[in-house]
Amino acid sequence: MAVDSRMDLLSERAVLMRESLQKSQTITDNVVSILGSFDSRLSALESAMRPTQIRTHAIRKAHENIDKTLKSAEVILSQFDLLRQAETKVLKGPHEDLESYLEAIAQLRKVIRYFSSNKGFKNSDGVLNHANSLLAKAQSKLEEEFKQLLASYSKAVEPDRLFDGLPNSLRPSADGEGNGKAHGGHHNDDSETAAYTLPVLIPSRVLPLLHDLAQQMVQAGHQQLLLQIYRETRTFVLEESLRKLGVEKLSKEDVQRMQWEVLEAKIGNWIHFMRIAVKLLFAGERQVCDQIFRGFDSLSDQCFAEVTVSSVSMLLSFGDAIARSKRSPEKLFVLLDMYEIMRELHSEIETIFKGKACLEIRNSATGLTKRLAQTAQETFGDFEEAVEKDATKTAVLDGTVHPLTSYVINYVKFLFDYQATLKQLFSEFGNGDDSNSQLASVTMRIMQALQNNLEGKSKQYKDQALTHLFLMNNIHYMVRSVRRSEAKDLLGDDWVQRHRRVVQQHANLYKRTAWTKILQTSSAQGLTSSGGGSVEGGNSSGVSRGLLKERFKMFNMQFDELHQRQSQWTVPDTELRESLRLAVAEVLLPAYRSFLKRFGPLVESGKNSQRYIKYTAEDLERLLGELFEGKSMNEPRRLIIIIIIIIIVMVMIIMWIMCEWNDEDCMKVDEDKLDYYYLTLLIVFETFGDFEEAVEKDATKTAVLDGTVHPLTSYVINYVKFLFDYQATLKQLFSEFGNGDDSNSQLASVTMRIMQAFQNNLEGKSKQYKDQALTHLFLMNNIHYMVRSVRRSEAKDLLGDDWVQRHRRVVQQHANLYKRTAWTKVRPICLTLYTKNITQTSSAQGLTSSGGGSVEGGNSSGVSRGLLKERFNMFNMQFDELHQRQSQWTVPDTELRESLRLAVAEVLLPAYRSFLKRFGPLVESGKNSQRYIKYTAEDLERLLGELFEGKSMNEPRR
C-alpha cells in the first residue's frame, strides 16, 4: 500500500513537471521571437549612425594632431628660450656668478643636442651654428676664468707658514721658547713620526669652483689646455716657495767650485729643505691637485708630475752633485746625513708621487738614495786607502801623537754617532753579511791602515829610541780612545788587549834602545885592577883611577845628551809618561847608586872630583822627572862669543906688553909685531860687522812650530848681553881705535844695528807661517823677549827708553793683529750666519726671521731654527779648531800669556753670553741640544785659559 501510494505521488509530480516544461518552452519561443525583432531594428540603427561615428573619429584625430603640434612648438620655443637665456649669461661673463655661468653652458649643450637630433626643422642649422658659437665663446671665457682664479689664489708660501706646519719639536715657537731640533744633519726618529700640518696652498672655498671649471674644460675636450694653464701657474708658485725658503739652483760645476765650509753649510740646509719640501709643499700640492681633478685620476697624476718635476729636480740635482763630486773623508758624514733624510722621506715620496706619471720622479729619488749609499761606501774605502798611504810630511819631532792619529781616531769615533745609519746602509747595500760584522770589519781595516802608516812614519827617525816612543804614543792613543768609546763594543776586548801588549812592547824596546848603552858605563865590567883583571864582587882596590874617571865622564856625557834630547821628546798621556819615567828610573838608579857607592870614594878623594861625579842619584831622579816634557832648545852656542873674548884678551895682553916694556930693546918692537897688533884690532871690528851680517842673513830652517821664542832670538840677545860684560873694554876699544865718535854712541849704534838686523831676520822667518795669527804671535813673542831682556840688562841705559817704548808698542801691535786675525772670525758667528770666521759666529746678523729679515733687538721670535743650530754648529767647530791649534802655540812669558788670554776673553765671552741668552732656549729644550750648545760661557773661559801652553797635538781637526 505504501508503495502504491508513493508511486502515485511520483506520477503526479512527473505530470506537473512535464506541464511546467512545456510552459517554459512556450515562453522561450516567445522571447526569441521578440529578440529577433530587436536585432533587425538595431541593425537599422547602426546603419543610420555609422556616418556620424566616422565624422566624430576624424574630429578626435584632428584634436590629437593639434595637441601634438602645440607640444612640439612648445618644446622648440623652450629651446629658443634656453638659448636666449644662455646667450645673456654668456655675454655677461662668468666673473660675477660662476655657478649661473656654468648652468648656462649646460643649457647651451642641451640646445645643441636637441637641434642636432632634430635637423628636420627649418633653420635648425642656423640655430646650431649660433649655439655652437656661443658655446665656444663661453668655453674661452671659462678657460680665462680658470686661469685667473687659479692665479689669484696661487701665492708662494712664506717660510714662516711652512715652519708653522712643522711639528713642535722642529719649529720655533711664537714666544721664542720653542723646542729645539736640527732641521738638517743627524736626525732623531721623532721627525719621522711627528705630525705635520699641511699649509693651505689654495683656500678650501675656491677648490670646488676650480674643480667645476676643470670639469667643464675636460668635457669640452680641452685637457691639454687645462694641463698647460695649471702647470704654468703652479710650477712657478712652487719654485718661488722653495726660493723664498732658501733653495738655490746649483749646477754640478757650482758645487765643485765651492769651498768645503760653504758647501757643508749648504748641505745642512738642503737636508732641512728636503724635509719641508716633501712633507709640506709637495704633500700640499698633491692634495690640491687631487681635489681640483677629482674624478680624473690619470689627469691629476699627470698635472702633479709636471708641476713638481722641476722643483724635485732642483733639489735632487744638488744631492746628486754631492754624491758624484770628488770624494773626500770629510764628506762621509754629510753623505750619511743626506742618506738618512732620503731614507726618512722614502715612504712619503712613494705615497705622494704615486701613479705612472710620477714614476720617473720616484726612480730619481731612489737613484739618489742608492748613489749616496754607494758614495758613502766608496768613501770608506778611500779613507782606508788614504790613511794607509798618507805621506804627510808634518814632522812630529818630539815623538808625540801624530796629527793623523788623532784625526783618524776621532773620525772613527764620530762615525759611531751614525752607527744605526751605517748598519742600515750595510744591510741594504752591503755584501749580505751581518751589518755589525761589516761595520766592525771596516773599522778594523781603518785602524790597521793607520797602524801601517805609523810604522812607515816611524822609520823617518834616525834615533831608534824615538821610533819606539813615537809608536808607543800613537798606539796607546788608539787604545785609550777605543776603550773610552762605543768602538770598544764593536772591536772587542781582544783587540784592546792585543794592542795594549803592542804599546808595552814599544815601551820596552824604547827603554832597551835608549838606556842600555849608559847602563854599561855604570857597571864594573872593564875596570882593570892592578893585576890586569876585572873588578869582582865588592872589591874596588887596585882599580885604574884613570879608567874610573873616564867612565864617570862618559856616564855624565851620555846622560847629559840623553836628558837634553829626551826632555824635548813628549809623552802626552800623564799616566804613560810617569810609568815610563819610573821604568827608566828602576833600571838606571839602582845601577848608578851601586856604581857610585863602590867607586865614588876613589874619585871624591882626588882633586876636581865634581868634574867626574857630576850627579847624585837624587839628581838623576829629579832630572828623569823632566823627561818627555817637550821642552825646546833655547840655549845658545857661545862659540862666537868665546872667539871675541879670546881676541879681546889678546889685544889687552899686547897693550900691556907695549906699556910695560920700557927698555930700548922693547921699544924697538919691530913693525911685524905692530902689524900683528893692528891686525888683531881690525879682526875685532870686522867681527862685529860679520856678526851683524850673519844675524840678518841667517837662513836657519829650524821650525818654531808653536810660535815661541826662536833659538836665534835667545842666542842673539844672550850674545848682546854677554858683550855688556865687556862694556868698559869695548868702550875703550871704540875710544882709541874707533871713528872718533863718542864710544857710548858707537857701542849703542853697533848694538842697535845688531838688534835691527835680528828684527829683519825675524820678519823674514815669520813669513814661513801660513796662519797669519801665528805670524803675529811669533813676532810678538820674539820682540817681547828682546824688550824684556833689554829692560833687565845694562843695554837699557845704552839703547834708551825711547827704543824700549817703541818696541813695546810693536809688541802690542802684533798682539792686536793676532787677536783680530784669529778671533774676529768667531765672535760675529754670534753676529752673521754665513761667515766662516769665529767672532762672526756669535752674532745675530743673518738669522732669518719669519719675514725673511734679520733679528733685531732682543726679539728672537720667528728665528729660523735651522740657521740658528747651524750657527751654533759653526761656532763649536771653529772654536774647537782654534782651541786645539792655539793650545799648541806657546807664549812663554807668563804675564804676556795671561794678558793675551784676557784680551781674547773680553772680545769673545760677552758676545757669546748675549747670543746664548737670546737664542739658547730655542735649542736647549729639544733633544740632542748638547750637540749644538756644546759650551757654556764658563766652559769657554776655562778653555781660553789653556791657550798658548804649547801642548802637543792630541786632539783632532774636523
Side-chain angles (χ1 to χ4, degrees), residues 333-363:
F333 303 109
V334 295
L335 286 169
L336 292 174
D337 285 335
M338 295 169 75
Y339 172 76
E340 279 186 343
I341 191 63
M342 292 305 296
R343 287 293 309 158
E344 177 189 330
L345 299 176
H346 175 73
S347 59
E348 280 94 340
I349 290 172
E350 290 293 315
T351 302
I352 295 168
F353 294 92
K354 62 183 179 180
K356 186 177 179 181
C358 297
L359 178 63
E360 186 177 344
I361 293 175
R362 294 197 303 275
N363 289 341

Side-chain angles (χ1 to χ4, degrees), residues 125-145:
D125 290 338
V127 173
L128 279 171
N129 290 337
H130 182 62
N132 281 321
S133 174
L134 275 177
L135 185 60
K137 192 177 293 184
Q139 281 296 148
S140 177
K141 289 185 177 182
L142 197 66
E143 289 158 6
E144 187 61 35
E145 179 66 15

